[in-house]
Amino acid sequence: MFGRLRSVCASRFLPMTRRGMAGGHKLHKNKHIEEWNHMRENTEKTFEFNSQTVPWIVLWVVIFPGAIHYVIKEDIDNSNRTGLSKSVKDTGTL
């Protein structure tokens, strides 16, 4: 009884054998693609805070959201000033 339990437990914790791709072909990874993937996945380790990155950070963190906010705010203010359009008032539907 304990022999079977030992073999079941051992088989669960032993590393599984690595299976290949379908057809038994070897996969040759492209070195450049693997380097690119590594750079994309580990940007916090490779990012450099310098004079070239500061303008981009300011653009995407401050200016772009500010411009979107301004456009939306102006649109809302203009729609509040004009109220409902004449065609909507005539039909009585929104």
Side-chain angles (χ1 to χ4, degrees):
M1 179 173 156
F2 291 111
R4 172 152 169 69
L5 180 64
R6 188 178 309 130
S7 66
V8 168
C9 291
S11 66
R12 287 189 182 169
F13 296 109
L14 290 175
M16 296 182 71
T17 58
R18 186 170 179 163
R19 298 188 303 176
M21 300 293 286
H25 302 289
K26 295 287 185 180
L27 177 66
H28 299 285
K29 295 182 178 180
N30 188 330
K31 175 185 170 188
H32 304 290
I33 293 175
E34 293 299 319
E35 287 176 3
W36 172 256
N37 287 337
H38 179 71
M39 288 279 287
R40 280 190 72 195
E41 293 174 2
N42 299 308
T43 54
E44 71 277 2
K45 296 176 184 174
T46 58
F47 179 76
E48 295 179 4
F49 193 76
N50 55 29
S51 61
Q52 291 178 341
T53 58
V54 170
W56 286 106
I57 293 170
V58 170
L59 173 71
W60 292 110
V61 173
V62 178
I63 296 172
F64 184 72
I68 296 293
H69 172 74
Y70 175 77
V71 169
I72 292 173
K73 183 178 179 298
E74 287 297 314
D75 188 39
I76 291 172
D77 289 345
N78 288 340
S79 67
N80 287 341
R81 273 189 230 124
T82 59
L84 296 174
S85 66
K86 186 176 180 182
S87 62
V88 172
K89 286 180 184 176
D90 293 338
T91 61
T93 60
L94 289 176

